[in-house]
Amino acid sequence: MSDTASRVSTAGATHPLDPLTPAEFRIAVGSVRAALEGEGRLLFADVSLVEPAKSEVREFQSGQPMSRQARIMVLQRDRQCTLDVLVNLDSGSILRCQEVTGVQPP
């Protein structure tokens, strides 16, 4: 089994549209905390699954490795800004982190 497949299996998701598992949630939040270390107080307003393309869902077969991503809305309290962060749950890497202006997180 590949390293990616073992991490996904360990995280517990068995279908691309399953809700985030507790393990995936920890990976997502931990990745953001590590990336923003020293940036002040963070409020995690929303952590949600990024749904894959419909074609990926249709082609999925049970037991097949899958890649999943989480989208996190973070309020950076000291800077008074909102960040939209995309995390790869296989690697724990930050794919995108951008400030969103003129909004408050959900």
Side-chain angles (χ1 to χ4, degrees):
M1 180 183 296
S2 75
D3 188 39
T4 300
S6 66
R7 277 183 281 181
V8 171
S9 298
T10 301
T14 59
H15 188 274
L17 297 177
D18 281 350
L20 291 175
T21 65
E24 289 174 321
F25 190 89
R26 285 190 296 275
I27 290 167
V29 170
S31 297
V32 172
R33 283 190 194 282
L36 298 176
E37 187 176 348
E39 295 287 327
R41 298 176 300 157
L42 305 175
L43 173 65
F44 291 82
D46 184 57
V47 180
S48 57
L49 174 69
V50 174
E51 292 186 5
K54 194 177 281 192
S55 60
E56 289 180 40
V57 175
R58 279 194 212 118
E59 294 169 7
F60 175 75
Q61 295 180 10
S62 183
Q64 174 183 1
M66 60 185 163
S67 180
R68 290 172 36 111
Q69 298 177 352
R71 181 178 183 203
I72 304 173
M73 297 301 288
V74 180
L75 178 59
Q76 204 170 15
R77 300 182 118 190
D78 295 341
R79 289 186 47 217
Q80 295 187 356
C81 69
T82 301
L83 301 174
D84 182 2
V85 185
L86 186 64
V87 177
N88 179 314
L89 295 172
D90 295 328
S91 64
S93 63
I94 304 295
L95 302 175
R96 180 188 71 220
C97 181
Q98 64 187 43
E99 187 172 337
V100 183
T101 59
V103 298
Q104 285 192 324

